[in-house]
Amino acid sequence: NRSCVIGFLMTRQLMLIDWDHEREVKTLPITRPDCVSPRRNLVDLLKLLRSGGSLMAFVCARPDLANRALLAEKPIPVEAGFMGIITLEDILESILQTRIYDENDIRDRDRAVA
């Protein structure tokens, strides 16, 4: 449900979980990234991510509403129009006009060929 977005959880944080302990997701450190407009300039967005140390941003039709909600530790409201995420890799690929291959891309490519 797109109206329940409160942040994101990095996969590496799950590696620290004691699997014998019944811990709820809400007890894990949730990252609340900046919310940006889909019309945001990519170079400006790259600067924003760099200054905040984040690897991604949420894209919303009304980022002001979304950012206000996240600052108050509340879900992004439906009126904010959550559209998805944009990652640092997405931005760099678009600016450089080339595909960036990481270890996951190479592994997926090799599986497809086999």
Side-chain angles (χ1 to χ4, degrees):
N1 184 342
R2 289 183 181 191
S3 65
C4 293
V5 176
I6 60 168
F8 66 88
L9 178 67
M10 298 298 284
T11 307
R12 67 177 173 249
Q13 292 167 324
L14 295 175
M15 290 187 270
L16 304 174
I17 293 177
D18 176 1
W19 295 103
D20 295 327
H21 183 259
E22 293 184 18
R23 188 171 177 185
E24 294 182 359
V25 173
K26 67 182 178 182
T27 65
L28 298 171
I30 301 292
T31 302
R32 291 177 176 84
D34 287 308
C35 298
V36 298
S37 166
R39 293 190 263 314
R40 181 85 181 243
N41 177 286
L42 289 177
V43 173
D44 290 341
L45 182 52
L46 183 60
K47 290 176 185 174
L48 175 71
L49 292 183
R50 188 170 162 219
S51 69
S54 184
L55 299 175
M56 66 180 73
F58 288 159
V59 181
C60 299
R62 303 238 357 241
D64 56 323
L65 290 178
N67 282 317
R68 232 184 339 246
L70 292 179
L71 283 173
E73 297 186 9
K74 296 186 180 196
I76 295 174
V78 175
E79 301 79 30
F82 178 79
M83 301 168 84
I85 63 170
I86 186 163
T87 65
L88 179 61
E89 184 177 328
D90 296 331
I91 297 164
L92 291 173
E93 285 179 341
S94 186
I95 290 172
L96 298 173
Q97 296 291 298
T98 189
R99 179 106 168 102
I100 297 172
Y101 292 97
D102 62 17
E103 61 279 358
N104 292 327
D105 295 324
I106 293 169
R107 189 173 41 246
D108 292 344
R109 183 195 65 202
D110 290 347
R111 267 191 237 137
V113 172

mmCIF file of all heavy atoms in Angstrom, residues 5-8 31-37 40 44-60 62-68 70-71 76 82 84-87 91:
data_model
loop_
_atom_site.group_PDB
_atom_site.id
_atom_site.type_symbol
_atom_site.label_atom_id
_atom_site.label_comp_id
_atom_site.label_asym_id
_atom_site.label_seq_id
_atom_site.Cartn_x
_atom_site.Cartn_y
_atom_site.Cartn_z
ATOM 1 N N VAL A 5 3.993 4.254 3.369
ATOM 2 C CA VAL A 5 5.439 4.380 3.268
ATOM 3 C C VAL A 5 5.954 5.299 4.369
ATOM 4 O O VAL A 5 5.488 6.423 4.528
ATOM 5 C CB VAL A 5 5.847 4.931 1.882
ATOM 6 C CG1 VAL A 5 7.340 5.157 1.804
ATOM 7 C CG2 VAL A 5 5.388 3.982 0.780
ATOM 8 N N ILE A 6 6.931 4.785 5.144
ATOM 9 C CA ILE A 6 7.522 5.595 6.210
ATOM 10 C C ILE A 6 9.035 5.726 6.060
ATOM 11 O O ILE A 6 9.675 6.452 6.799
ATOM 12 C CB ILE A 6 7.203 5.026 7.606
ATOM 13 C CG1 ILE A 6 7.747 3.616 7.745
ATOM 14 C CG2 ILE A 6 5.718 5.090 7.898
ATOM 15 C CD1 ILE A 6 7.731 3.088 9.158
ATOM 16 N N GLY A 7 9.615 5.006 5.116
ATOM 17 C CA GLY A 7 11.059 5.041 4.923
ATOM 18 C C GLY A 7 11.507 3.768 4.248
ATOM 19 O O GLY A 7 10.705 3.059 3.658
ATOM 20 N N PHE A 8 12.801 3.476 4.355
ATOM 21 C CA PHE A 8 13.292 2.224 3.785
ATOM 22 C C PHE A 8 14.294 1.582 4.726
ATOM 23 O O PHE A 8 14.856 2.219 5.604
ATOM 24 C CB PHE A 8 13.873 2.424 2.380
ATOM 25 C CG PHE A 8 15.120 3.266 2.327
ATOM 26 C CD1 PHE A 8 16.381 2.693 2.490
ATOM 27 C CD2 PHE A 8 15.049 4.630 2.090
ATOM 28 C CE1 PHE A 8 17.531 3.464 2.431
ATOM 29 C CE2 PHE A 8 16.193 5.404 2.026
ATOM 30 C CZ PHE A 8 17.441 4.818 2.203
ATOM 31 N N THR A 31 15.363 4.328 7.509
ATOM 32 C CA THR A 31 15.922 5.542 6.917
ATOM 33 C C THR A 31 14.797 6.332 6.257
ATOM 34 O O THR A 31 14.001 5.768 5.507
ATOM 35 C CB THR A 31 16.997 5.186 5.863
ATOM 36 O OG1 THR A 31 18.007 4.408 6.504
ATOM 37 C CG2 THR A 31 17.613 6.433 5.265
ATOM 38 N N ARG A 32 14.738 7.597 6.558
ATOM 39 C CA ARG A 32 13.726 8.469 5.962
ATOM 40 C C ARG A 32 14.423 9.431 5.003
ATOM 41 O O ARG A 32 14.975 10.441 5.433
ATOM 42 C CB ARG A 32 12.978 9.215 7.057
ATOM 43 C CG ARG A 32 12.098 8.299 7.869
ATOM 44 C CD ARG A 32 11.407 9.001 9.016
ATOM 45 N NE ARG A 32 10.512 8.093 9.698
ATOM 46 C CZ ARG A 32 10.893 7.232 10.647
ATOM 47 N NH1 ARG A 32 12.145 7.185 11.027
ATOM 48 N NH2 ARG A 32 10.014 6.420 11.218
ATOM 49 N N PRO A 33 14.393 9.110 3.710
ATOM 50 C CA PRO A 33 15.100 9.947 2.734
ATOM 51 C C PRO A 33 14.306 11.210 2.401
ATOM 52 O O PRO A 33 13.154 11.358 2.808
ATOM 53 C CB PRO A 33 15.188 9.046 1.509
ATOM 54 C CG PRO A 33 13.939 8.235 1.575
ATOM 55 C CD PRO A 33 13.719 7.989 3.062
ATOM 56 N N ASP A 34 14.945 12.085 1.657
ATOM 57 C CA ASP A 34 14.241 13.263 1.156
ATOM 58 C C ASP A 34 13.225 12.830 0.112
ATOM 59 O O ASP A 34 13.437 11.861 -0.615
ATOM 60 C CB ASP A 34 15.226 14.244 0.510
ATOM 61 C CG ASP A 34 16.078 14.955 1.528
ATOM 62 O OD1 ASP A 34 15.512 15.519 2.475
ATOM 63 O OD2 ASP A 34 17.313 14.937 1.373
ATOM 64 N N CYS A 35 12.126 13.556 0.041
ATOM 65 C CA CYS A 35 11.130 13.355 -1.008
ATOM 66 C C CYS A 35 11.308 14.481 -2.015
ATOM 67 O O CYS A 35 11.489 15.643 -1.630
ATOM 68 C CB CYS A 35 9.727 13.383 -0.425
ATOM 69 S SG CYS A 35 9.452 12.065 0.771
ATOM 70 N N VAL A 36 11.282 14.132 -3.291
ATOM 71 C CA VAL A 36 11.533 15.106 -4.347
ATOM 72 C C VAL A 36 10.445 15.032 -5.407
ATOM 73 O O VAL A 36 9.774 14.017 -5.561
ATOM 74 C CB VAL A 36 12.917 14.887 -4.999
ATOM 75 C CG1 VAL A 36 14.034 15.074 -3.983
ATOM 76 C CG2 VAL A 36 13.013 13.527 -5.649
ATOM 77 N N SER A 37 10.329 16.099 -6.154
ATOM 78 C CA SER A 37 9.382 16.178 -7.261
ATOM 79 C C SER A 37 9.931 15.406 -8.465
ATOM 80 O O SER A 37 11.150 15.366 -8.669
ATOM 81 C CB SER A 37 9.190 17.647 -7.649
ATOM 82 O OG SER A 37 8.539 17.742 -8.894
ATOM 83 N N ARG A 40 12.359 17.406 -10.584
ATOM 84 C CA ARG A 40 13.622 17.866 -9.990
ATOM 85 C C ARG A 40 14.773 17.642 -10.956
ATOM 86 O O ARG A 40 14.898 16.585 -11.570
ATOM 87 C CB ARG A 40 13.868 17.105 -8.686
ATOM 88 C CG ARG A 40 15.114 17.472 -7.930
ATOM 89 C CD ARG A 40 14.836 18.674 -7.048
ATOM 90 N NE ARG A 40 15.974 19.097 -6.308
ATOM 91 C CZ ARG A 40 16.056 19.084 -4.984
ATOM 92 N NH1 ARG A 40 15.045 18.654 -4.259
ATOM 93 N NH2 ARG A 40 17.119 19.523 -4.380
ATOM 94 N N ASP A 44 20.878 18.695 -9.507
ATOM 95 C CA ASP A 44 20.497 19.194 -8.178
ATOM 96 C C ASP A 44 20.176 18.037 -7.228
ATOM 97 O O ASP A 44 20.525 18.080 -6.052
ATOM 98 C CB ASP A 44 19.283 20.123 -8.269
ATOM 99 C CG ASP A 44 19.615 21.437 -8.947
ATOM 100 O OD1 ASP A 44 20.811 21.783 -9.028
ATOM 101 O OD2 ASP A 44 18.674 22.112 -9.403
ATOM 102 N N LEU A 45 19.520 17.006 -7.750
ATOM 103 C CA LEU A 45 19.198 15.842 -6.926
ATOM 104 C C LEU A 45 20.468 15.109 -6.510
ATOM 105 O O LEU A 45 20.596 14.678 -5.360
ATOM 106 C CB LEU A 45 18.264 14.901 -7.686
ATOM 107 C CG LEU A 45 17.799 13.653 -6.953
ATOM 108 C CD1 LEU A 45 17.214 13.978 -5.589
ATOM 109 C CD2 LEU A 45 16.804 12.896 -7.803
ATOM 110 N N LEU A 46 21.422 15.003 -7.406
ATOM 111 C CA LEU A 46 22.712 14.392 -7.078
ATOM 112 C C LEU A 46 23.392 15.162 -5.948
ATOM 113 O O LEU A 46 23.905 14.566 -4.997
ATOM 114 C CB LEU A 46 23.597 14.353 -8.325
ATOM 115 C CG LEU A 46 24.950 13.685 -8.206
ATOM 116 C CD1 LEU A 46 24.810 12.232 -7.805
ATOM 117 C CD2 LEU A 46 25.696 13.795 -9.533
ATOM 118 N N LYS A 47 23.354 16.485 -6.014
ATOM 119 C CA LYS A 47 23.935 17.316 -4.946
ATOM 120 C C LYS A 47 23.201 17.100 -3.625
ATOM 121 O O LYS A 47 23.821 17.037 -2.565
ATOM 122 C CB LYS A 47 23.885 18.795 -5.337
ATOM 123 C CG LYS A 47 24.830 19.158 -6.460
ATOM 124 C CD LYS A 47 24.648 20.614 -6.869
ATOM 125 C CE LYS A 47 25.483 20.966 -8.068
ATOM 126 N NZ LYS A 47 25.221 22.331 -8.557
ATOM 127 N N LEU A 48 21.867 16.977 -3.689
ATOM 128 C CA LEU A 48 21.070 16.751 -2.484
ATOM 129 C C LEU A 48 21.442 15.418 -1.830
ATOM 130 O O LEU A 48 21.665 15.361 -0.621
ATOM 131 C CB LEU A 48 19.575 16.758 -2.826
ATOM 132 C CG LEU A 48 18.630 16.419 -1.674
ATOM 133 C CD1 LEU A 48 18.600 17.550 -0.650
ATOM 134 C CD2 LEU A 48 17.241 16.136 -2.201
ATOM 135 N N LEU A 49 21.535 14.370 -2.625
ATOM 136 C CA LEU A 49 21.891 13.060 -2.077
ATOM 137 C C LEU A 49 23.300 13.087 -1.496
ATOM 138 O O LEU A 49 23.549 12.534 -0.433
ATOM 139 C CB LEU A 49 21.783 11.971 -3.144
ATOM 140 C CG LEU A 49 20.385 11.645 -3.652
ATOM 141 C CD1 LEU A 49 20.451 10.497 -4.661
ATOM 142 C CD2 LEU A 49 19.435 11.321 -2.534
ATOM 143 N N ARG A 50 24.191 13.741 -2.192
ATOM 144 C CA ARG A 50 25.580 13.827 -1.725
ATOM 145 C C ARG A 50 25.661 14.563 -0.387
ATOM 146 O O ARG A 50 26.364 14.141 0.526
ATOM 147 C CB ARG A 50 26.411 14.531 -2.790
ATOM 148 C CG ARG A 50 27.873 14.504 -2.502
ATOM 149 C CD ARG A 50 28.653 15.009 -3.704
ATOM 150 N NE ARG A 50 29.972 15.364 -3.261
ATOM 151 C CZ ARG A 50 30.648 16.399 -3.670
ATOM 152 N NH1 ARG A 50 30.140 17.195 -4.571
ATOM 153 N NH2 ARG A 50 31.840 16.657 -3.204
ATOM 154 N N SER A 51 24.922 15.659 -0.264
ATOM 155 C CA SER A 51 24.979 16.440 0.979
ATOM 156 C C SER A 51 24.327 15.707 2.145
ATOM 157 O O SER A 51 24.745 15.857 3.284
ATOM 158 C CB SER A 51 24.316 17.804 0.786
ATOM 159 O OG SER A 51 22.918 17.657 0.633
ATOM 160 N N GLY A 52 23.301 14.893 1.852
ATOM 161 C CA GLY A 52 22.609 14.177 2.916
ATOM 162 C C GLY A 52 23.165 12.795 3.191
ATOM 163 O O GLY A 52 22.756 12.138 4.139
ATOM 164 N N GLY A 53 24.067 12.334 2.345
ATOM 165 C CA GLY A 53 24.663 11.018 2.534
ATOM 166 C C GLY A 53 23.722 9.862 2.233
ATOM 167 O O GLY A 53 23.951 8.742 2.665
ATOM 168 N N SER A 54 22.664 10.112 1.474
ATOM 169 C CA SER A 54 21.696 9.066 1.156
ATOM 170 C C SER A 54 21.978 8.478 -0.219
ATOM 171 O O SER A 54 22.593 9.124 -1.068
ATOM 172 C CB SER A 54 20.281 9.642 1.191
ATOM 173 O OG SER A 54 19.330 8.618 0.983
ATOM 174 N N LEU A 55 21.509 7.266 -0.443
ATOM 175 C CA LEU A 55 21.683 6.599 -1.731
ATOM 176 C C LEU A 55 20.424 6.647 -2.575
ATOM 177 O O LEU A 55 20.430 6.205 -3.717
ATOM 178 C CB LEU A 55 22.085 5.132 -1.523
ATOM 179 C CG LEU A 55 23.390 4.902 -0.781
ATOM 180 C CD1 LEU A 55 23.598 3.409 -0.548
ATOM 181 C CD2 LEU A 55 24.550 5.491 -1.560
ATOM 182 N N MET A 56 19.330 7.184 -2.004
ATOM 183 C CA MET A 56 18.084 7.252 -2.757
ATOM 184 C C MET A 56 17.170 8.333 -2.201
ATOM 185 O O MET A 56 17.395 8.846 -1.116
ATOM 186 C CB MET A 56 17.376 5.904 -2.764
ATOM 187 C CG MET A 56 16.888 5.439 -1.432
ATOM 188 S SD MET A 56 16.055 3.829 -1.513
ATOM 189 C CE MET A 56 17.440 2.746 -1.770
ATOM 190 N N ALA A 57 16.157 8.632 -3.003
ATOM 191 C CA ALA A 57 15.135 9.599 -2.596
ATOM 192 C C ALA A 57 13.776 9.043 -3.007
ATOM 193 O O ALA A 57 13.680 8.236 -3.932
ATOM 194 C CB ALA A 57 15.372 10.954 -3.271
ATOM 195 N N PHE A 58 12.744 9.458 -2.304
ATOM 196 C CA PHE A 58 11.387 9.119 -2.692
ATOM 197 C C PHE A 58 10.901 10.176 -3.676
ATOM 198 O O PHE A 58 11.159 11.372 -3.489
ATOM 199 C CB PHE A 58 10.448 9.111 -1.488
ATOM 200 C CG PHE A 58 10.660 7.950 -0.549
ATOM 201 C CD1 PHE A 58 10.210 8.033 0.758
ATOM 202 C CD2 PHE A 58 11.276 6.777 -0.949
ATOM 203 C CE1 PHE A 58 10.377 6.975 1.634
ATOM 204 C CE2 PHE A 58 11.451 5.716 -0.080
ATOM 205 C CZ PHE A 58 10.995 5.818 1.216
ATOM 206 N N VAL A 59 10.190 9.751 -4.693
ATOM 207 C CA VAL A 59 9.626 10.677 -5.679
ATOM 208 C C VAL A 59 8.133 10.806 -5.386
ATOM 209 O O VAL A 59 7.419 9.805 -5.309
ATOM 210 C CB VAL A 59 9.863 10.161 -7.118
ATOM 211 C CG1 VAL A 59 9.284 11.140 -8.130
ATOM 212 C CG2 VAL A 59 11.348 9.939 -7.373
ATOM 213 N N CYS A 60 7.686 12.044 -5.191
ATOM 214 C CA CYS A 60 6.291 12.318 -4.846
ATOM 215 C C CYS A 60 5.784 13.509 -5.650
ATOM 216 O O CYS A 60 6.541 14.447 -5.916
ATOM 217 C CB CYS A 60 6.139 12.628 -3.364
ATOM 218 S SG CYS A 60 6.645 11.290 -2.279
ATOM 219 N N ARG A 62 3.750 15.686 -4.523
ATOM 220 C CA ARG A 62 3.771 16.810 -3.581
ATOM 221 C C ARG A 62 4.808 16.520 -2.504
ATOM 222 O O ARG A 62 4.479 16.111 -1.383
ATOM 223 C CB ARG A 62 2.391 17.015 -2.946
ATOM 224 C CG ARG A 62 1.286 17.235 -3.945
ATOM 225 C CD ARG A 62 0.470 18.485 -3.864
ATOM 226 N NE ARG A 62 0.701 19.430 -2.816
ATOM 227 C CZ ARG A 62 -0.212 19.769 -1.907
ATOM 228 N NH1 ARG A 62 -1.395 19.207 -1.881
ATOM 229 N NH2 ARG A 62 0.063 20.685 -1.010
ATOM 230 N N PRO A 63 6.094 16.712 -2.826
ATOM 231 C CA PRO A 63 7.152 16.367 -1.874
ATOM 232 C C PRO A 63 7.090 17.150 -0.571
ATOM 233 O O PRO A 63 7.543 16.655 0.465
ATOM 234 C CB PRO A 63 8.438 16.643 -2.650
ATOM 235 C CG PRO A 63 8.058 17.528 -3.776
ATOM 236 C CD PRO A 63 6.625 17.240 -4.077
ATOM 237 N N ASP A 64 6.513 18.348 -0.597
ATOM 238 C CA ASP A 64 6.409 19.132 0.636
ATOM 239 C C ASP A 64 5.553 18.401 1.674
ATOM 240 O O ASP A 64 5.926 18.314 2.850
ATOM 241 C CB ASP A 64 5.828 20.524 0.340
ATOM 242 C CG ASP A 64 4.481 20.477 -0.377
ATOM 243 O OD1 ASP A 64 4.287 19.592 -1.245
ATOM 244 O OD2 ASP A 64 3.620 21.327 -0.079
ATOM 245 N N LEU A 65 4.423 17.830 1.238
ATOM 246 C CA LEU A 65 3.560 17.069 2.156
ATOM 247 C C LEU A 65 4.269 15.810 2.652
ATOM 248 O O LEU A 65 4.192 15.465 3.828
ATOM 249 C CB LEU A 65 2.257 16.656 1.458
ATOM 250 C CG LEU A 65 1.259 17.743 1.120
ATOM 251 C CD1 LEU A 65 0.060 17.142 0.390
ATOM 252 C CD2 LEU A 65 0.799 18.435 2.393
ATOM 253 N N ALA A 66 4.954 15.136 1.752
ATOM 254 C CA ALA A 66 5.646 13.893 2.106
ATOM 255 C C ALA A 66 6.773 14.157 3.100
ATOM 256 O O ALA A 66 6.904 13.445 4.101
ATOM 257 C CB ALA A 66 6.186 13.219 0.847
ATOM 258 N N ASN A 67 7.584 15.183 2.839
ATOM 259 C CA ASN A 67 8.691 15.507 3.745
ATOM 260 C C ASN A 67 8.193 15.892 5.127
ATOM 261 O O ASN A 67 8.763 15.496 6.140
ATOM 262 C CB ASN A 67 9.567 16.620 3.158
ATOM 263 C CG ASN A 67 10.501 16.098 2.100
ATOM 264 O OD1 ASN A 67 11.105 15.043 2.243
ATOM 265 N ND2 ASN A 67 10.617 16.836 1.010
ATOM 266 N N ARG A 68 7.103 16.653 5.173
ATOM 267 C CA ARG A 68 6.529 17.049 6.463
ATOM 268 C C ARG A 68 6.086 15.824 7.263
ATOM 269 O O ARG A 68 6.332 15.719 8.459
ATOM 270 C CB ARG A 68 5.345 17.993 6.239
ATOM 271 C CG ARG A 68 5.443 19.254 7.033
ATOM 272 C CD ARG A 68 4.246 20.167 6.899
ATOM 273 N NE ARG A 68 3.428 19.965 5.720
ATOM 274 C CZ ARG A 68 3.287 20.849 4.747
ATOM 275 N NH1 ARG A 68 3.878 22.002 4.807
ATOM 276 N NH2 ARG A 68 2.532 20.605 3.716
ATOM 277 N N LEU A 70 7.183 12.654 6.929
ATOM 278 C CA LEU A 70 8.336 11.856 7.341
ATOM 279 C C LEU A 70 9.081 12.501 8.506
ATOM 280 O O LEU A 70 9.550 11.799 9.398
ATOM 281 C CB LEU A 70 9.278 11.614 6.164
ATOM 282 C CG LEU A 70 8.742 10.701 5.060
ATOM 283 C CD1 LEU A 70 9.757 10.569 3.941
ATOM 284 C CD2 LEU A 70 8.348 9.338 5.610
ATOM 285 N N LEU A 71 9.176 13.828 8.503
ATOM 286 C CA LEU A 71 9.822 14.518 9.628
ATOM 287 C C LEU A 71 9.065 14.283 10.935
ATOM 288 O O LEU A 71 9.662 14.222 12.005
ATOM 289 C CB LEU A 71 9.941 16.016 9.347
ATOM 290 C CG LEU A 71 11.051 16.416 8.382
ATOM 291 C CD1 LEU A 71 10.955 17.901 8.044
ATOM 292 C CD2 LEU A 71 12.416 16.093 8.968
ATOM 293 N N ILE A 76 3.787 8.645 4.589
ATOM 294 C CA ILE A 76 3.520 9.626 3.534
ATOM 295 C C ILE A 76 2.028 9.579 3.220
ATOM 296 O O ILE A 76 1.488 8.515 2.915
ATOM 297 C CB ILE A 76 4.346 9.308 2.271
ATOM 298 C CG1 ILE A 76 5.839 9.453 2.577
ATOM 299 C CG2 ILE A 76 3.932 10.195 1.109
ATOM 300 C CD1 ILE A 76 6.759 9.028 1.442
ATOM 301 N N PHE A 82 2.853 9.539 -3.610
ATOM 302 C CA PHE A 82 4.090 8.753 -3.682
ATOM 303 C C PHE A 82 4.132 8.026 -5.014
ATOM 304 O O PHE A 82 3.199 7.347 -5.412
ATOM 305 C CB PHE A 82 4.139 7.750 -2.526
ATOM 306 C CG PHE A 82 5.351 6.865 -2.562
ATOM 307 C CD1 PHE A 82 6.575 7.335 -2.124
ATOM 308 C CD2 PHE A 82 5.281 5.569 -3.042
ATOM 309 C CE1 PHE A 82 7.707 6.539 -2.153
ATOM 310 C CE2 PHE A 82 6.396 4.756 -3.068
ATOM 311 C CZ PHE A 82 7.611 5.232 -2.636
ATOM 312 N N GLY A 84 7.408 6.519 -6.242
ATOM 313 C CA GLY A 84 8.439 5.493 -6.260
ATOM 314 C C GLY A 84 9.735 6.019 -5.675
ATOM 315 O O GLY A 84 9.742 6.997 -4.940
ATOM 316 N N ILE A 85 10.832 5.342 -6.020
ATOM 317 C CA ILE A 85 12.144 5.755 -5.536
ATOM 318 C C ILE A 85 13.074 6.022 -6.713
ATOM 319 O O ILE A 85 12.878 5.511 -7.808
ATOM 320 C CB ILE A 85 12.784 4.698 -4.605
ATOM 321 C CG1 ILE A 85 13.022 3.393 -5.362
ATOM 322 C CG2 ILE A 85 11.954 4.469 -3.373
ATOM 323 C CD1 ILE A 85 13.850 2.390 -4.608
ATOM 324 N N ILE A 86 14.072 6.835 -6.459
ATOM 325 C CA ILE A 86 15.149 7.037 -7.423
ATOM 326 C C ILE A 86 16.452 6.848 -6.651
ATOM 327 O O ILE A 86 16.596 7.356 -5.533
ATOM 328 C CB ILE A 86 15.081 8.419 -8.118
ATOM 329 C CG1 ILE A 86 16.138 8.488 -9.208
ATOM 330 C CG2 ILE A 86 15.191 9.560 -7.124
ATOM 331 C CD1 ILE A 86 15.923 9.610 -10.212
ATOM 332 N N THR A 87 17.350 6.075 -7.231
ATOM 333 C CA THR A 87 18.607 5.776 -6.551
ATOM 334 C C THR A 87 19.751 6.590 -7.151
ATOM 335 O O THR A 87 19.645 7.125 -8.262
ATOM 336 C CB THR A 87 18.959 4.285 -6.673
ATOM 337 O OG1 THR A 87 19.208 3.971 -8.050
ATOM 338 C CG2 THR A 87 17.842 3.405 -6.122
ATOM 339 N N ILE A 91 20.379 7.976 -11.102
ATOM 340 C CA ILE A 91 20.748 9.349 -11.449
ATOM 341 C C ILE A 91 22.035 9.361 -12.269
ATOM 342 O O ILE A 91 22.110 10.011 -13.317
ATOM 343 C CB ILE A 91 20.910 10.206 -10.180
ATOM 344 C CG1 ILE A 91 19.575 10.300 -9.442
ATOM 345 C CG2 ILE A 91 21.444 11.593 -10.513
ATOM 346 C CD1 ILE A 91 19.694 10.791 -8.016
#
